Amino acid sequence: MMENQEYDTCWLDYKQDSSRNYPVFFSNLVIQEEESPIILAAKEELVNGITAITGMEPRFSTVEVLEPSIILTTLNNRGISNEVDWDQCEGALNDEGYALTAATVNNQNCLLLIGKTDKGLLYATFHLLRLLQTKSDLENVSIVENPVNQLRMLNHWDNMDGSIERGYAGNSIFYKDYQFTKNFKRIKDYARLMASIGINGIAINNVNVHEIESKLITSEYLPDVAEIAGIFRSYGIKTFLSINYASTIQLGGLDTADPLDSRVREWWKEKTAEVYNYIPDFGGYVVKADSEHRPGPFTYNRNHADGSNMLAEALLPFNGVVIWRCFVYNCLQDWRDRETDRARAAYDHFKPLDGQFMDNVILQIKNGPMDFQVREPVSPLFGAMPTTNQIIEFQITQEYTGQQKHLCYLIPQWKEVLDFDTYAKGEGSPVKRIVDGSLYSYKFSGVSAVINVGDDSNWTGHTLAQANLYGYGRLTWNPELSAEDITNEWIIRTFGADEEVLEQVNRMLADSWRIYENYTAPLGVGWMVNPNHHYGPNVDGYEYSVWGTYHYADFQGIGVNRTVTSGTGYTTQYFPENTSLYESLETCPDNLVLFFHHVPYTHQLKSGETVIQHIYNTHFVGVEQVTVLKERWEKLNGRVDKQKYKEVLERLEIQLAHSKEWRDIINTYFYRKSGIADELGRKIY
């Protein structure tokens, strides 16, 4: 942590490493580009990082290279070294890509950071510092990198009173008491952290837009938004705002928000022009409409294409986009009707509209058909709309995965989702090729996630939850990175290179998702949480369920029949290969069997266990595994920062106590429901 700083520097904690001999080119920094806010940010980061790590403060110059140097340059200066294949470099790099290469310049051994734009140079800067922190070889470095995903975005669910919906790390870093905090130092450090993992878009307010937040697009608050946008701009990040679809009524004094009404369309055009007057590089609007009591086009018998296109039309002259969330379902429908299936909602609403959306509309689709559960299948909407831009939405904040009191490392889950083969264009059509735009040549594509940051001193409540944020950025930059490589990077950059720390924390993170699944949600069943705040076990408690709608447990069996043969027909929303996979009990994966099928408690899984015995076993094992997590961390006493050690230990103690509560309540519920005893004779009350 930086001296006299009240909050953690996370993976940008540049610790001095005097055990290495550093190449002499670290002594001089040459920038052969005109200064821009992004270039200045890159220069500042390089000087501070190199000085802190190597102990050598580099001299800075813009003159001819006369000594070994680190050189920041774009392709405009291709004559500085004949050892670089500049034509090949130009063909290989996109606007955010970069090259790091050792080369001779004027007979001096140098390290070149080459970008097509200043954004590329910023990302090259952070890559170089990452290499320094992880003790990588720099003498003969030769790296060319481009981000795989075009949009790499974060959604804040921050409210202007300072609270954060589904926030588990304190209050907002942007707002307090219905005003902006003006803590620009922290916002700048947040921008640095995000740029270092490749984030290029941030929406700074809740998708559930309250009355006060709807005013962010007015002259009362746009100057404050513009200040934040200016900070973000210096780090290659575009600012987005979530808007209230009915703003024409709430702010504009109209009596309608009908997207086909000319007055509504004109109001949004004028309002959008005003926003861009304050923020010329504004990214666009994020919209949640017609779901969970949010207003939308359904009120006027219009569809989602009508609603989103009205906003897209207003944004088009400014190259802005509208990000339209596909989390749309009727939360007031009769859940006692077993033919009603929330999982069908996104596909049923949006699939018929393919081809009707403007080119600057992007559909934001949650990774699963439900709501960020610890285990659910991939949404069938991915790949189902070949002419409509799509991005995937993950949830970094741990709403249903322990709320940052429990350790639950989500990179392995996200890797599974991105690698899932949709068969949209036959075998070899994984989700990652849909959301990166390559399968259908989308104009806009990428990845988004609900952020887990608050104003806690460690940013994420649970120090180890920083790994989810770090891993999200690295994975969206390059989905081919392995979970292990991402994990090791984060550990070394956060805790240093101690081998025992690396081994123990790596194991803790790698095991944690399935541990959490073991003691909470068996075989694809979710939602067994307390209403509204979604924390702690309550088997029948979810607010939009009736007598266990989400698991349909009775004395005979458990699970939701989503087959086409005798259930809700949800399985038909997938391409045929996956329909047949999930339709049959013989081929349906065990870990999703209760999501797709209602089965007797005595149904035998592929593992050889019965369903009821699996429930008992995993809940007992889960508690034992949390005990091991705690023991692993206790081995690191004295090897990691004292405050971090204390904070993580406290969270693991909470997790252990709560895992026992989950075990006892879940096992007792299903023992009483089924009347079948644990075959191992363990005590279930």
Side-chain angles (χ1 to χ4, degrees), residues 245-249 254-261 264 268 296-297 300 310:
Y245 181 82
S247 291
T248 50
I249 299 172
L254 299 182
D255 59 359
T256 181
D258 182 350
L260 300 189
D261 188 300
V264 172
W268 276 110
Y300 308 96
M310 176 265 294

Side-chain angles (χ1 to χ4, degrees), residues 20 117 143 172 183 202 213 230 243 276 383 494 602 629 673:
R20 303 176 64 191
T117 66
I143 295 170
S172 173
N183 188 350
I202 298 177
E213 287 92 36
I243 58 149
Y276 277 93
T494 303
T602 54
L629 288 179
K673 186 74 77 171

